[in-house]
Amino acid sequence: MLTIEKYAAIDIGSNAIRLLVANVIEQENSPTLFRKNELIRVPIRLGEDVFTKGAISEKNTQRMLDAMQAFRLLMNAHQVKYYRACATSAMREAINGDAVVKMVKEKTSIEIEIIDGKEEAAIIAATDLHSIIQKSRVYLYVDVGGGSTECTLYDQGKVKTSRSFKIGTVRILNHLVTESAWKRMLRWITDETSSYSKITVIGSGGNINKIMKMSGRKSSKSLSYIHLLNFHEKLNNLSYDDRVIKLGLNPDRADVIIPALQIYLRTMKWSGAEQIIVPSIGLSDGIIKSLYKSK
């Protein structure tokens, strides 16, 4: 007996809003399969409003409403059975975040949950990493977003501890990450990883996925610290225009990719990791998995 249902995840981040539609396939006496059907990304960059002015602007509120109306129509067309919409750093810090959530529900009937950093890290931890994580090794899972970075330590194949930091690509671009914020992350990583002789970083987020794709290596393969360091230097030596024209980066990716690299490089250096694995999963995947488990 084969059962196929469509699930959807809406990830309202600080840099972009995403809709992931996935087929959830159940078979008798076999593991449930999760297969991506469609992924739509809209680079609204809510964080640029919130982190500099404290609120989402009227312009971006309308753009968000337009995106949500489109997502509702797409979910209807796909005949999605279950969905979950989660808003992260920008929405939880916006003084008009609750008002925007109410407006979206009235206009589109989509209910948005504004989740805290702990819940965000828990959802990300729900992603299926069993094919990557080995019980004999220790991993630091680093998910870099526009407004925050979630770090989760895995030991013996299980989550040992996790923490969210207000360090993200959009914040860095707008010079809103203080030295004390970096020091808090440094202290947490060194305190949690210093007792281990070897750490491997697992990286997630749109930027590290793009870097992996540009490297020509397959997903779930690893990149070395030296590779990231050299790539960071290469990007720094190119202007924004050259990153768009010569490297073919999207305009909304060409600026945030450099601060993303800074975060990954620092977490690798502080944990002593020489390699970063990129499995091409993120919050949207975690939303689908956690939604399925709840049903």
Side-chain angles (χ1 to χ4, degrees):
M1 182 73 178
L2 189 70
T3 303
I4 303 174
E5 293 179 333
K6 285 193 177 178
Y7 282 57
I10 298 175
D11 169 12
I12 302 164
S14 302
N15 190 45
I17 296 175
R18 298 172 183 84
L19 168 68
L20 172 64
V21 177
N23 290 320
V24 178
I25 305 168
E26 291 181 326
Q27 311 167 79
E28 280 190 60
N29 304 316
S30 297
T32 301
L33 301 176
F34 298 86
R35 291 184 178 164
K36 295 179 183 181
N37 190 282
E38 184 169 15
L39 176 64
I40 306 293
R41 178 180 180 275
V42 185
I44 296 179
R45 198 164 285 188
L46 300 175
E48 205 153 70
D49 285 342
V50 177
F51 305 146
T52 58
K53 300 170 186 174
I56 300 168
S57 65
E58 287 186 21
K59 177 184 176 182
N60 281 339
T61 296
Q62 186 57 54
R63 291 180 69 204
M64 184 176 170
L65 281 170
D66 291 342
M68 288 298 169
Q69 286 172 332
F71 288 177
R72 166 50 72 192
L73 291 172
L74 282 167
M75 287 195 294
N76 290 346
H78 276 285
Q79 296 184 306
V80 167
K81 187 167 185 179
Y82 302 109
Y83 81 91
R84 186 182 182 190
C86 295
T88 56
S89 188
M91 286 285 284
R92 64 179 171 245
E93 293 183 34
I95 57 173
N96 60 341
D98 290 336
V100 173
V101 167
K102 185 178 179 182
M103 195 181 304
V104 169
K105 186 177 179 181
E106 289 173 352
K107 301 281 186 181
T108 70
S109 76
I110 292 175
E111 294 189 28
I112 298 171
E113 300 171 53
I114 299 178
I115 59 174
D116 61 21
K118 188 175 181 180
E119 173 71 4
E120 186 175 353
I123 292 172
I124 291 167
T127 54
D128 192 1
L129 295 172
H130 74 271
S131 61
I132 297 168
I133 289 180
Q134 301 172 27
K135 288 186 178 181
S136 59
R137 298 173 66 181
V138 181
Y139 301 87
L140 181 64
Y141 189 112
V142 181
D143 181 75
V144 175
S148 63
T149 295
E150 275 61 51
C151 295
T152 305
L153 187 69
Y154 284 85
D155 185 15
Q156 300 291 314
K158 297 179 181 178
V159 175
K160 182 185 178 185
T161 183
S162 65
R163 184 158 173 187
S164 176
F165 299 92
K166 287 186 178 181
I167 296 175
T169 57
V170 177
R171 286 191 202 270
I172 293 173
L173 279 180
N174 288 277
H175 310 289
L176 297 172
V177 177
T178 63
E179 193 58 38
S180 60
W182 284 114
K183 286 180 180 177
R184 280 193 292 273
M185 181 184 270
L186 166 63
R187 281 195 299 270
W188 185 87
I189 290 175
T190 53
D191 286 348
E192 297 297 339
T193 63
S194 59
S195 60
Y196 299 104
S197 59
K198 188 175 182 180
I199 298 280
T200 301
V201 167
I202 300 173
S204 69
N207 289 293
I208 196 67
N209 287 335
K210 185 63 178 178
I211 292 164
M212 173 59 81
K213 188 176 181 180
M214 293 174 74
S215 75
R217 301 179 192 184
K218 291 183 179 180
S219 175
S220 295
K221 296 294 183 181
S222 64
L223 297 172
S224 68
Y225 177 85
I226 297 300
H227 178 92
L228 288 193
L229 196 64
N230 290 338
F231 191 63
H232 180 260
E233 184 178 357
K234 176 183 176 180
L235 291 180
N236 258 335
N237 289 330
L238 293 173
S239 67
Y240 171 83
D241 291 355
D242 283 342
R243 281 177 241 144
V244 173
I245 301 301
K246 293 182 179 179
L247 296 184
L249 291 171
N250 287 334
D252 64 288
R253 179 76 68 204
D255 53 356
V256 294
I257 196 168
I258 290 179
L261 273 165
Q262 292 171 357
I263 297 171
Y264 289 115
L265 284 167
R266 290 193 185 198
T267 55
M268 290 180 75
K269 181 179 179 180
W270 294 338
S271 63
E274 297 177 356
Q275 299 288 326
I276 181 169
I277 299 170
V278 186
S280 190
I281 54 177
L283 184 64
S284 298
D285 303 88
I287 292 171
I288 296 284
K289 300 277 172 59
S290 62
L291 181 60
Y292 173 74
K293 288 176 183 176
S294 73
K295 299 298 179 185

